[in-house]
Amino acid sequence: MQPAAFGATVVTAHPAKVAAFYAEYFDLEVTIDLGWFICLRRGDASWELAISERGHASVPAAVSATTESSNVFGFVVDDVDKFAARLVEGGVELATELVTEPWGQRHFYVRDPEGTWLDVIQLVAPDPEWLAANTPT
């Protein structure tokens, strides 16, 4: 059986603040706002991002007890340099420099207000030498 959709959840003590970050910088729209649970989506995408309040009865105690995120959410954008500049202009600190990888990504990492790692990616042409060395013949 295949999933009908995909969603990821950020657990936080500040749902409104985290949701506002994604709405402002990733152009996600709030589709549900219960205060303790906020759901965001972009247009008719088949995925969604949920923000849930740490300590709420719907969140397992072990999840609420974990405050350091090691999850990484990847977002593909059209122009990663413009996106990074917009974040910096908004006072958001980038966690890494922008780099162009030989396998065809230009990207950087940033953290949302809860500390969730975000890999912001622009797809670019892979380096031909890297591609030749790493593609089965």
Side-chain angles (χ1 to χ4, degrees):
M1 182 166 163
Q2 293 183 346
F6 174 78
T9 303
V10 175
V11 177
T12 177
H14 309 285
K17 179 180 179 180
V18 173
F21 172 85
Y22 286 100
E24 179 176 354
Y25 294 109
F26 291 89
D27 298 324
L28 301 183
E29 298 175 13
V30 173
T31 57
I32 299 171
D33 187 345
L34 304 177
W36 62 270
F37 177 83
I38 302 170
C39 192
L40 301 113
R41 186 179 292 241
R42 184 164 187 176
D44 61 355
S46 62
W47 59 271
E48 63 186 17
L49 180 63
I51 314 296
S52 189
E53 186 171 40
R54 178 173 281 113
H56 189 271
S58 67
V59 178
V63 173
S64 285
T66 303
T67 58
E68 180 67 26
S69 175
S70 62
N71 295 319
V72 178
F73 297 163
F75 287 92
V76 177
V77 300
D78 291 333
D79 188 331
V80 76
D81 292 273
K82 273 187 173 177
F83 199 94
R86 183 172 172 223
L87 287 167
V88 171
E89 288 169 11
V92 178
E93 184 178 341
L94 304 184
T96 66
E97 297 291 323
L98 282 107
V99 295
T100 302
E101 305 290 4
W103 52 84
Q105 291 183 344
R106 179 159 173 75
H107 69 125
F108 67 92
Y109 285 86
V110 65
R111 297 184 92 168
D112 76 10
E114 184 56 33
T116 303
W117 289 94
L118 308 176
D119 187 4
V120 183
I121 305 159
Q122 177 181 341
L123 302 176
V124 297
D127 177 270
E129 290 180 23
W130 183 92
L131 198 58
N134 290 281
T135 303
T137 56

